[in-house]
Amino acid sequence: MSGTSSFSMKLKVGIVGFGPFAQFLAKTMIKQGHTLTATSRSDHSEICSQLGIKFFKDIVPFLDSNNDVILISTSILSLSQVLSSIPFHVLKKPTLFVDVLSVKEYPRQLLLQVLPEEADLLCTHPMFGPVNGKDGWAGLAFMYERVRIRNEDTCSSFLHIFQNEGCRMVEISCEEHDKQAARSQFLTHTIGRMLSEMDITSTSVNTKGFETLIHLKDDIVKNSFDLYSGLFVHNRFAKQELNNLEIALETIKEKLLDKVTE
Amino acid sequence: MSGTSSFSMKLKVGIVGFGPFAQFLAKTMIKQGHTLTATSRSDHSEICSQLGIKFFKDIVPFLDSNNDVILISTSILSLSQVLSSIPFHVLKKPTLFVDVLSVKEYPRQLLLQVLPEEADLLCTHPMFGPVNGKDGWAGLAFMYERVRIRNEDTCSSFLHIFQNEGCRMVEISCEEHDKQAARSQFLTHTIGRMLSEMDITSTSVNTKGFETLIHLKDDIVKNSFDLYSGLFVHNRFAKQELNNLEIALETIKEKLLDKVTE
Ligand SMILES: NC(=O)c1ccc[n+]([C@@H]2O[C@H](COP(=O)([O-])OP(=O)(O)OC[C@H]3O[C@@H](n4cnc5c(N)ncnc54)[C@H](OP(=O)(O)O)[C@@H]3O)[C@@H](O)[C@H]2O)c1
Ligand SMILES: NC(=O)c1ccc[n+]([C@@H]2O[C@H](COP(=O)([O-])OP(=O)(O)OC[C@H]3O[C@@H](n4cnc5c(N)ncnc54)[C@H](OP(=O)(O)O)[C@@H]3O)[C@@H](O)[C@H]2O)c1
């Protein structure tokens, strides 16, 4: 049975890490009729009660509340710490764990280490967020790897959340994701951060291309610096791409300086 | 009388340097009813005859043909050589010289040196071209400095070419243009060239931001490398901005490496 099967039921989804991205996903899941609970380092009980989500300060009653899916949406940098604080033995039934971290080999490996053998694992990366997904998810990429799936109905139902919204479903390995994301997403964030570091602002002689870059920069810096650092620290392909970017700049510089002396 | 006065007459415009940008401008000038002639290093007589433009292989009959305006649209790097080959004494009447080079202090200074005292000079930079101006010029910036204008009617009529199309008319000094363009246009071209140097291509997990960068790169590399080099070699503010970009990349890199060791 494939991950994009047609089976779809309403799920009980427990979210670990209720930051900006989890809040963004939660709204669509609720709209679709799923039942949500959440736990997080900080107290998000107010926003949760507005959304109709039960918020747990303590992890034990959260785990005890019979979720079909536990969705991990903490920052990349805090994943290891967050996982080590979860008493998995409290779980009452085999549960599907899903992570949405923007790097993939790292959570795949960590989760396979700490999850109970009976838990299923789906590693995913919705390639959008509150900024570029604010007008709907249609056509936006949703990447996933079915790492360890035995309960096909639950997995299929979870994937349906994104299929229903019109996402482009991309089933690739975590390794392939990280390779490609280092050359695309990480690069994009790095350019946004460089422009922000340079404090670029609108001029009276803006070209269209420059305006595109200003918007890009403004969008990128809405993401936490933790998210950006995570793209680098826990994607083993990112360092090479950062080097490639440096080399590209040096090459361009040399070509320009050659023209000066010509 | 201001440069954006309402006076407007049909002009005889002679173009020096009939490359991609001149061809692009020519179409709109012809549409507006102006009469065009052209001369260039290469033989552009075929495209000229298609457009209804008289093409001169030799500069002397070109200068002799009684133009109201002579529009300089050669590459930045060749300007000095092109100007030195023009026998200005052949001109039969005081003429308005206009340049459209993407840097401004440099042609301003060179033209003031070589033009006959009775010639007027308008330095301009339409901040768009065949790629981003293909769907019309409305809202796009047109920068100009009235360097030496005595014949207001001719100058006003020339500026009207761009006003009529809905350009945002920006009257600023060549110096101020170069400062701002180094921080905007030159930076944009540099990022496009870096991405091209890295050979970035679409991935299966593209984010919207990354797609924006691919389009930007594709658009930038449609410009000649001569144009890009000119933005650097003959804009005295560009070097500092290139350094700023390098420093920004180094700063970002250090911040990322700090996170690795944290
Ligand atoms: N934003 C996007 O567009 C996007 C898109 C796709 C995937 N993602 C992924 O989704 C996840 C969440 O992203 P985000 O945008 O919400 O911002 P983020 O800064 O990456 O993560 C914020 C979340 O991490 C938690 N957290 C941070 N440090 C922690 C610590 N030391 N201990 C425990 N929890 C900690 C926060 O908890 P508290 O709120 O309780 O403090 C919050 O829930 C990340 O893994 C990110 O890569 C984000
Ligand atoms: N493209 C744009 O979007 C844009 C926008 C605003 C301003 N501009 C400015 O417009 C001017 C023309 O730009 P472009 O896009 O057409 O491309 P370009 O590569 O900057 O310039 C091409 C023009 O320069 C001439 N040229 C190059 N080397 C020469 C030499 N050694 N001797 C004599 N002529 C030489 C070419 O003549 P032949 O064709 O006869 O070989 C052609 O007319 C440049 O100054 C540029 O900065 C361009």
Side-chain angles (χ1 to χ4, degrees), chain B residues 188-230:
Chain B
T188 308
H189 280 243
T190 301
I191 284 169
R193 296 278 166 188
M194 283 166 75
L195 295 172
S196 166
E197 198 62 49
M198 285 185 77
D199 249 335
I200 64 155
T201 44
S202 199
T203 71
S204 69
V205 293
N206 284 358
T207 55
K208 272 195 192 174
F210 182 63
E211 273 165 13
T212 301
L213 285 182
I214 294 184
H215 290 140
L216 182 83
K217 179 213 71 174
D218 290 344
D219 282 355
I220 291 295
V221 297
K222 283 177 192 148
N223 296 294
S224 71
F225 197 82
D226 267 9
L227 194 161
Y228 174 56
S229 327

Side-chain angles (χ1 to χ4, degrees), chain A residues 73-136:
Chain A
S73 186
T74 52
S75 71
I76 298 165
L77 297 180
S78 68
L79 178 70
S80 157
Q81 189 190 333
V82 167
L83 290 183
S84 68
S85 72
I86 301 182
F88 291 101
H89 63 271
V90 174
L91 287 166
K92 281 194 269 183
K93 64 172 187 187
T95 309
L96 171 63
F97 280 76
V98 180
D99 87 282
V100 293
L101 274 61
S102 306
V103 295
K104 297 269 48 77
E105 285 192 314
Y106 175 67
R108 182 187 193 281
Q109 185 193 1
L110 265 190
L111 283 160
L112 282 175
Q113 274 168 29
V114 302
L115 288 186
E117 185 9 63
E118 65 275 18
D120 281 4
L121 176 59
L122 178 71
C123 287
T124 82
H125 185 196
M127 307 298 303
F128 52 90
V131 178
N132 54 19
K134 65 176 186 304
D135 301 321

Side-chain angles (χ1 to χ4, degrees), chain A residues 127 132 168 180 183 188 197-199 203-205 208 210 212 228 246 250 252-253 255-256, chain B residues 127 132 168 180 183 188 197-199 203-205 208 210 212 228 246 250 252-253 255-256:
Chain A
M127 307 298 303
N132 54 19
R168 188 162 57 78
Q180 296 189 15
R183 266 189 91 71
T188 308
E197 198 65 47
M198 286 185 75
D199 249 335
T203 71
S204 69
V205 294
K208 272 195 192 175
F210 182 63
T212 302
Y228 174 56
E246 267 188 301
E250 286 316 302
I252 295 293
K253 193 178 175 177
K255 286 186 189 174
L256 291 175
Chain B
M127 307 298 304
N132 54 20
R168 189 163 56 77
Q180 294 189 16
R183 267 189 89 70
T188 308
E197 198 62 49
M198 285 185 77
D199 249 335
T203 71
S204 69
V205 293
K208 272 195 192 174
F210 182 63
T212 301
Y228 174 56
E246 269 189 300
E250 287 316 302
I252 295 292
K253 193 178 176 177
K255 285 186 189 175
L256 290 176

Side-chain angles (χ1 to χ4, degrees), chain B residues 16-24 39-44 55 72-79 81-82 99-103 124-132 185 222-228 231:
Chain B
V16 180
F18 204 65
F21 188 58
Q23 293 170 28
F24 165 76
T39 187
S40 208
R41 172 185 58 173
S42 314
D43 182 5
H44 292 292
F55 183 80
I72 313 281
S73 185
T74 53
S75 71
I76 298 164
L77 297 179
S78 67
L79 178 71
Q81 188 191 332
V82 168
D99 87 283
V100 293
L101 273 61
S102 306
V103 296
T124 81
H125 185 197
M127 307 298 304
F128 51 91
V131 179
N132 54 20
Q185 186 184 30
K222 283 177 192 148
N223 296 294
S224 71
F225 197 82
D226 267 9
L227 194 161
Y228 174 56
L231 298 182

